Amino acid sequence: MTTSPEATAFPTLRSPRGPVPPAAPPWNPQRGSAMPSHRYRPAHERVGIPAVNARRWPSRRIEQAPLWVPVDLRDGNQALAEPMDPARKRRMFDLLIAMGYKEIEVGYPSASRTDFDFVRHLADSGAVPDDVTVVVFTAARADLIETTFASIRGLTRVVVHLYTATAPVWREVVIGRDRRELRALIEESATQMARLAAGRPGVRFEFSPEVFNMTEPDYVLEVCNGLTGLWDASPDRPVIHNLPATVEIATPNVYADQIEYMHHHLDRRDAVILSVHPHNDRGTGVACAELAVLAGAQRVEGCLFGNGERTGNVDLVTLALNLHTQGVDPMVDFSDIDEIRRTVEHCNRLPVPGRHPYAGDLVHTAYSGTHQDAIKKGFDRHARLAAEAGLPAGELPWAVPYLPIDPADIGRDYEAVIRVNSQSGKGGVGYLLATHHGLDLPAPLRADFSRIVQRAADDSGAEITAKELWELFEEAYLAPADGPLAVSDWRTAQTAPGVHDFGGVLRGAGRPPVEVRGTGNGPLSALAAALSGAGIEVDILDYAEHATGSGPDSPAVAYARCRVGGSVRWGAGRDTSVLTASVRAVLAAVNRC
């Protein structure tokens, strides 16, 4: 085997050469790496984790959707190499409205003229439906708060979202204030917001202690409870306390403990909406959000497909469709996932990966032969049970192996569910021929043809399309009916009960045309007898036929497995006449032997 140029680069990697830890079991010979892991402190040494005497979240279930708040137009937008222009921002906003989101963060008006103008556009154009609340974002600075309130003039349902980083590292490195000084700064900004919102009952408040998950729990509670009182929160005008995992540093259970602590200790709990905003630095943003909801969160901020700084915000698509798979209405509509994805890709100018949960091009696709076989059997069973129950297939409870949801639920068809490459088996080959060309191959023929497909896939190294499958099948099983041996001008007749005659002219294979005749208990046995009379011994071992569609003009396909001399081969025939298709199938098998 020739070594590829890429392979020669691998030896430059530093393979772990440290000792095997003394306590390691014999089945685990992993060695210490050269990476400086000692430089990093675990989460429990970086932030005080609240003591939880009796965790409640592990035994809970999510039985209803939280309030989803997409932040694509603010947090997602600021993470783009090329932030959205007004046209793309409006297209994203309209998509979010169409999907059913009722609270949408639309911008950071004091950060740029583009954001300010977009909020003014929403206010002036009447683009915001009466039941939708817009959220605007501001830092704790007087001039920025003034600009933010100027941007929302004329909007009737607004949340003004105040944020300040509260974690010790941020207080020391970025803000330069201690706990007392920072709380005073936050309350000064909150007082200004209350003054500017006076007489505007449609304006509510949100506070985010940024990097909540790295902040002392007692300090977060102190600040949040102070704002709840300062803003005089009530059940009919609740305050939102949004607790971000701005940079993930711990396993999701730690975040759940932090959220449950706040859930049980916040003042005026019936006047507080507990919100979360997980990021995905450890790749566990979805798990953090789901566990946070179990722990008491009522509201989740995130982005469609997980766009955002670094590894992104939590993915609202995955979260919502995870609920869908549990029989819980996500309260937003993903019934046309491809159009949603196209719009988001256009607005963000970022592709959604092919393996992205639920929405990627490949997530409902099986290449593995065993997976394909299970999916095909699952589809067949689903269709049968639906027919027996007298229900449309889309109404029957879903239980198909390897497919957590019915692709039709999100606007996908079944065309790409099974695809064929060198890893595929007879199940996938048979499925594609059936769905695209109406061929229902007998099981032994599926196995026979899959070997042909395997060779083609190995030779090309590429995926075999449904069109290419048909071409392979046609070349291998259908085309041989036309030579080298052929029977022309043939005819059959039933001369008595259970007695059939076959006659025709045998041509080809370097022999002069010869008239052949034979008799048997059916047309094909009579054909075999006629060929035997010409010195071609044919034994028909298996036979099957079916229509490829509905209606009188639908072609029929016949399959015949024949022994000719010492060889056994399959052949196939296709014609609007079942009899013609069957004769061609036998001749194809004879010519392949």
Side-chain angles (χ1 to χ4, degrees):
M1 180 181 292
T2 302
T3 302
S4 69
E6 294 84 359
T8 60
F10 293 137
T12 63
L13 295 174
R14 293 187 296 173
S15 179
R17 294 183 175 86
V20 175
W27 48 263
N28 184 358
Q30 291 181 151
R31 298 175 179 274
S33 78
M35 296 180 65
S37 301
H38 61 277
R39 300 179 58 216
Y40 302 92
R41 291 182 295 155
H44 66 272
E45 293 181 7
R46 301 177 68 182
V47 62
I49 307 299
V52 181
N53 297 323
R55 291 180 177 86
R56 299 186 178 105
W57 62 262
S59 60
R60 289 183 177 143
R61 297 177 181 173
I62 302 176
E63 297 179 335
Q64 66 180 38
L67 176 65
W68 307 113
V69 182
V71 296
D72 300 78
L73 292 165
R74 196 275 304 176
D75 202 354
N77 188 52
Q78 75 181 24
L80 299 176
E82 185 181 340
M84 296 180 221
D85 57 26
R88 286 187 286 148
K89 283 175 90 58
R90 177 58 191 268
R91 185 167 176 180
M92 178 70 82
F93 180 79
D94 289 344
L95 171 69
L96 297 172
I97 293 294
M99 293 175 68
Y101 289 106
K102 297 302 178 184
E103 193 165 305
I104 302 169
E105 192 162 86
V106 297
Y108 192 160
S110 61
S112 70
R113 170 57 62 180
T114 301
D115 268 26
F116 184 93
D117 289 348
F118 182 68
V119 177
R120 292 307 313 145
H121 162 74
L122 294 179
D124 296 338
S125 66
V128 184
D130 293 340
D131 63 345
V132 171
T133 298
V134 298
V135 183
V136 288
F137 194 70
T138 183
R141 212 174 81 189
D143 59 329
L144 304 184
I145 293 170
E146 290 282 352
T147 300
T148 300
F149 272 84
S151 75
I152 63 173
R153 185 181 66 257
L155 289 168
T156 57
R157 297 172 63 102
V158 185
V159 168
V160 179
H161 182 177
L162 174 70
Y163 84 97
T164 302
T166 55
V169 172
W170 274 254
R171 294 198 306 261
E172 297 165 8
V173 175
V174 181
I175 303 173
R177 303 191 185 217
D178 61 20
R179 287 174 47 146
R180 182 187 58 80
E181 293 169 333
L182 183 59
R183 180 178 174 185
L185 171 68
I186 293 168
E187 291 188 347
E188 180 181 345
S189 296
T191 300
Q192 179 187 9
M193 288 168 56
R195 175 178 58 78
L196 292 172
R200 298 186 62 179
V203 176
R204 295 187 291 114
F205 305 122
E206 174 178 357
F207 173 65
S208 284
E210 192 184 7
V211 213
F212 153 79
N213 59 321
M214 294 173 66
T215 304
E216 307 94 326
D218 66 306
Y219 184 57
V220 176
L221 194 63
E222 174 189 320
V223 172
C224 288
N225 283 339
L227 294 184
T228 299
L230 189 156
W231 282 330
D232 194 21
S234 62
D236 60 344
R237 197 184 183 190
V239 66
I240 300 164
H241 285 312
N242 183 56
L243 308 178
T246 309
V247 180
E248 278 196 308
I249 64 162
T251 51
N253 61 297
V254 172
Y255 190 51
D257 284 346
Q258 293 172 316
I259 297 301
E260 189 165 70
Y261 173 82
M262 296 295 291
H263 171 53
H264 289 303
H265 290 86
L266 284 167
D267 291 345
R268 303 194 202 184
R269 187 63 186 87
D270 63 343
V272 171
I273 299 169
L274 180 53
S275 176
V276 292
H277 182 115
H279 277 253
N280 199 44
D281 299 270
R282 291 168 51 93
T284 58
V286 167
C288 282
E290 291 181 328
L291 267 58
V293 171
L294 292 173
Q298 302 152 289
R299 179 180 182 272
V300 177
E301 296 184 351
C303 287
L304 298 183
F305 307 112
N307 179 44
E309 297 280 14
R310 303 178 310 282
T311 55
N313 291 281
V314 71
D315 175 13
L316 295 185
V317 176
T318 300
L319 284 172
L321 290 174
N322 280 354
L323 287 186
H324 178 67
T325 69
Q326 301 302 303
V328 177
D329 186 345
M331 308 300 286
V332 280
D333 188 4
F334 290 95
S335 59
D336 191 350
I337 194 72
D338 289 331
E339 180 58 30
I340 294 168
R341 189 187 70 181
R342 281 191 292 269
T343 299
V344 173
E345 288 178 330
H346 167 79
C347 293
N348 290 342
R349 296 187 176 170
L350 288 172
V352 173
R355 296 291 182 188
H356 192 100
Y358 301 108
D361 281 334
L362 298 173
V363 297
H364 301 116
T365 297
Y367 287 106
S368 162
T370 54
H371 290 203
Q372 292 173 343
D373 183 62
I375 291 170
K376 181 180 184 299
K377 289 174 178 174
F379 277 149
D380 292 344
R381 176 178 176 271
H382 187 79
R384 184 180 71 253
L385 292 177
E388 291 171 357
L391 291 173
E395 294 295 325
L396 193 75
W398 183 252
V400 173
Y402 297 110
L403 293 178
I405 65 169
D406 184 347
D409 290 353
I410 54 175
R412 293 273 177 86
D413 57 31
Y414 301 130
E415 182 172 334
V417 169
I418 290 178
R419 292 160 66 171
V420 170
N421 63 13
S422 62
Q423 305 301 306
S424 306
K426 58 184 182 297
V429 169
Y431 176 85
L432 286 183
L433 286 179
T435 54
H436 290 270
H437 303 289
L439 302 186
D440 184 11
L441 305 189
L445 177 54
R446 285 202 302 272
D448 189 79
F449 181 46
S450 69
R451 288 188 285 271
I452 295 173
V453 176
Q454 179 78 44
R455 286 195 296 272
D458 283 338
D459 290 344
S460 70
E463 181 180 343
I464 305 294
T465 67
K467 177 177 179 291
E468 290 167 336
L469 276 182
W470 170 256
E471 291 169 351
L472 287 171
F473 184 83
E474 184 176 41
E475 179 183 3
Y477 299 100
L478 292 170
D482 295 317
L485 281 176
V487 179
S488 62
D489 304 322
W490 59 266
R491 60 219 173 266
T492 65
Q494 183 174 0
T495 56
V499 178
H500 292 257
D501 286 345
F502 182 94
V505 178
L506 182 64
R507 302 175 183 275
R511 64 175 74 199
V514 59
E515 185 83 20
V516 294
R517 293 180 60 84
T519 300
N521 61 8
L524 295 189
S525 62
L527 168 60
L531 293 173
S532 178
I536 303 169
E537 295 294 335
V538 179
D539 187 8
I540 301 173
L541 305 176
D542 287 301
Y543 174 79
E545 65 184 39
H546 65 81
T548 58
S550 58
D553 296 327
S554 175
V557 176
Y559 313 100
R561 186 166 71 101
C562 302
R563 180 186 291 115
V564 182
S567 298
V568 176
R569 293 288 187 272
W570 280 93
R574 186 171 184 267
D575 197 89
T576 53
S577 162
V578 175
L579 179 58
T580 300
S582 63
V583 169
R584 290 182 62 81
V586 172
L587 290 172
V590 168
N591 281 317
R592 294 188 70 226
C593 288

